[in-house]
Amino acid sequence: MKTRSLAIVLASVLIVALTGCATKQTPTPAPFQPVQLNPDSYVKKVDSFVVVMDASQSMTEDYKGRPKFDQAKELIAHMNQTIPPLDYRAGVVAFGSGSCLDGKDAKVLYGMTSYRRAELQAGLDSQKCASGNTPLSEGIAASHSSLQTGSFGRTALIVVSDFEEIYEGGAIEKAKKLKEVMGDKLCIYPIQVGQAGKRKFADELAMLGGCGFAVNADEISSPNAMAGYVTKVFLAPAPPKPAPVAAAPAVLDSDGDGVPDSRDKCPNTPKGVRVNADGCWELKGVFFDTDKAVIKDPRVLDEAVAIMKANPKITGEVHGHTDSTGSEAHNQRLSEARANAVRDYFIKQGIAPERVRAKGFGESNPVASNDTAEGRAMNRRVELHPDK
């Protein structure tokens, strides 16, 4: 009889335990209504940012009832919803190992490219799981590789991780190499997901950057706290608007491009085109890598094609330019190749060949100093000069 009673008691306890397990649910994330930061009130503090996200096995562990990996993705999504749509370049890199990263130690999920909120979110969503060890050094190395593909100016490196099971020496070494290349243009902003007491290495990483700071994810979880974080990392107050001044005498601008006739070197540009300081139709945003004549982004050319189709009488000449890297003879050939690449694109889009000519000017007409990477990038350009 005693044995039967004991069995009944044990069965009851087991049923209760199993019922408790069956009804346990993952807490539902609190709704997030992002604070709308007015772009007119700020200017960019950074030109580019890279988010390096931990997708290793330790991130699958629960913190406050939810996997840290889910919380990391959610935090990055909230940051993405809060960043105002200014002209940033952006990228997202995941690090870990195993099948969740296609057998790699680091994987670029987005960029480096012009920042688009929806496209960044799509890249983030593509990382479905976390697995393997924690090669933060490879995540930083992948960011280094992405940043080396172009000139990205002031850059924020945002590392989102629990900072557990990391080979700290390797991560520090990679971060130092990136800092050596970018210097004062790089700031590091670690965000630690999980117990705040495990943030020591995150603080060390921020100090290595010299101009960033570390936070715990819980500190920036609310909409207002996230807005404050985004403001500190990404934004600076816009300068005050100048006081109204008396109207200046009317300045003659025959083609209406905003450049007075007195210094307009291209006085016949059509309405609606974007011109440079000399009043010439510069196809700004048509970028070329060093020693290349391959158009990286044709969107600016598409605008020019639309204007030429709307004005069928316009004819003109594409001028190609280079920076001073290499010999004059080489740069002359390269500038001609760039001009012809743009002309060929126009023709493929339906512009009659006789309406567009191409000419190269080599390195002879710089618009910025060739002593800096930014200046050389500006000098690798094309201009479109309409005929009278």
Side-chain angles (χ1 to χ4, degrees), residues 282-293:
E282 181 179 344
L283 302 178
K284 191 171 184 180
V286 181
F287 296 111
F288 300 93
D289 286 331
T290 300
D291 203 31
K292 301 291 184 182

Side-chain angles (χ1 to χ4, degrees), residues 308 311-318 343-344 346-348 350-358 384-387:
M308 293 192 73
N311 298 270
K313 293 184 179 181
I314 293 178
T315 60
E317 188 169 74
V318 177
R343 179 179 184 268
D344 291 344
F346 283 168
I347 294 171
K348 287 180 182 178
I351 303 301
E354 61 271 17
R355 292 181 62 191
V356 187
R357 305 181 304 280
L384 182 57
H385 292 253
D387 298 322

Side-chain angles (χ1 to χ4, degrees), residues 252-261 263-265 275-279:
L252 188 60
D253 179 13
S254 301
D255 56 6
D257 62 1
V259 179
D261 289 354
R263 55 184 179 85
D264 196 336
K265 295 181 180 179
V275 300
N276 60 18
D278 295 326

